[in-house]
Amino acid sequence: MSSEERVQDPRALVFGQAAEEYDTGRPGYAPELVDEVLAYASLDGTTALEMGAGTGKASVLFAERNARLLCVEPDPQMAEVLRRNTAGHPRVSVEVSGFEEWQRGDRRFGLFLAATCWHWFDPARRWDLVHAALLPGGAVALLWNPHGVLDPDLHAELGEIDRRYGVPSSPHATLAADYGDRAGHWADGEEDPSGWPQAQCRQDGRFTALRSLRHGAQVHYDTERYLSMLTSISSYRVLPAEQRERALAETGRLLDARGGGIGMLHLTDLFLARRR
């Protein structure tokens, strides 16, 4: 797939249509792993670069720890919410651009951060672009927050709704018990760009000190918050509006009938590496 084809992927262009739902409904990341990133990176006053920052789910956590952070986000509507969420942090700045088109100039950074967006970057270029953006010894931190449904029966019923309405993927597509016990287990064996990056990074050879870490916790979403999160998911956003609304309404009725929400295993998986 060419870079042009990836830029035109409709799933990558729909988040701004639901920027507020994304901000209120999407989960964040484990603060403990943010501390791990900063300890690993040892920024010592250098600036961190966050690419694909969204509405600031990760950005705010780093800003609260006084990191100097440049956030780059391709969608102007998402960037508007990002600016609002980081307005109280003067060490944070925001630029609107895609990764491949971004004009870095002669700037280089002590940390490259990407949270649940690595799969949107061109796999043929992303390691080159990361390497070019980092100072020697600079760190790479890639974050994901996969979910798993705790209740097997509810998982099966939700899967039936998804199949009926043609929803290809969703946060409830995986049963919590199916996750392995290590970071990135959910991506084992995948060849698509969303797979765990450790093998590609090791093969690249320009990075060292590779580490993988995981934090897990059980969380409960009430029906309203869970539907808000689903509204921001790309696989729902690309559905015809009427089909999407019917799928969400039926999902909401099921969750209300099953106690008014859904229990999930919420993971934060972290991959770390350092430019040689």
Side-chain angles (χ1 to χ4, degrees), residues 129-175:
L129 293 170
V130 169
H131 185 269
L134 285 174
L135 292 161
V140 181
L142 307 178
L143 287 157
W144 284 264
N145 52 5
H147 290 71
V149 182
L150 295 171
D151 183 337
D153 293 334
L154 180 57
H155 170 258
E157 292 180 77
L158 288 168
E160 287 297 325
I161 295 174
D162 287 353
R163 283 187 287 275
R164 191 154 52 247
Y165 290 98
V167 180
S169 63
S170 71
H172 50 257
T174 303
L175 189 63

Side-chain angles (χ1 to χ4, degrees), residues 9-20:
D9 185 337
R11 297 172 302 166
L13 304 174
V14 296
F15 295 111
Q17 301 168 13
E20 295 295 342

Side-chain angles (χ1 to χ4, degrees), residues 105-151:
D106 59 358
R107 295 174 292 180
R108 291 202 289 176
F109 302 86
L111 169 66
F112 176 91
L113 169 67
T116 316
C117 60
W118 184 246
H119 55 290
W120 295 121
F121 304 150
D122 183 351
R125 298 180 59 201
R126 56 192 176 188
W127 286 113
D128 291 337
L129 293 170
V130 169
H131 185 269
L134 285 174
L135 292 161
V140 181
L142 307 178
L143 287 157
W144 284 264
N145 52 5
H147 290 71
V149 182
L150 295 171
D151 183 337

Side-chain angles (χ1 to χ4, degrees), residues 44-63:
D44 294 328
T46 61
T47 301
L49 168 66
E50 183 184 6
M51 190 60 62
T55 62
K57 289 293 184 178
S59 320
V60 171
L61 294 174
F62 283 86

Side-chain angles (χ1 to χ4, degrees), residues 10-11 22-23 26 30 36 42-43 68 108 132 141 144 151 167 172 180 201 204 211 221 231 240 251 255 261 266:
R11 297 172 302 166
Y22 187 105
D23 190 50
R26 288 287 186 108
E36 289 277 359
S42 299
L43 288 171
R68 181 179 289 112
R108 291 202 289 176
W144 284 264
D151 183 337
V167 180
H172 50 257
C201 185
D204 182 280
R211 296 180 61 191
Y221 295 87
T231 301
T251 299
L255 296 185
H266 178 205

Side-chain angles (χ1 to χ4, degrees), residues 231-274:
T231 301
S232 74
I233 300 293
S234 60
S235 55
Y236 285 84
R237 298 305 310 168
V238 298
L239 293 176
E242 184 179 350
Q243 184 177 342
R244 177 173 65 247
E245 292 308 312
R246 291 202 308 269
L248 291 169
E250 189 165 342
T251 299
R253 288 194 293 272
L254 173 60
L255 296 185
D256 283 341
R258 297 294 295 269
I262 183 171
M264 306 281 283
L265 172 66
H266 178 205
L267 302 173
T268 298
D269 281 1
L270 167 64
F271 174 76
L272 295 168
R274 191 180 306 283

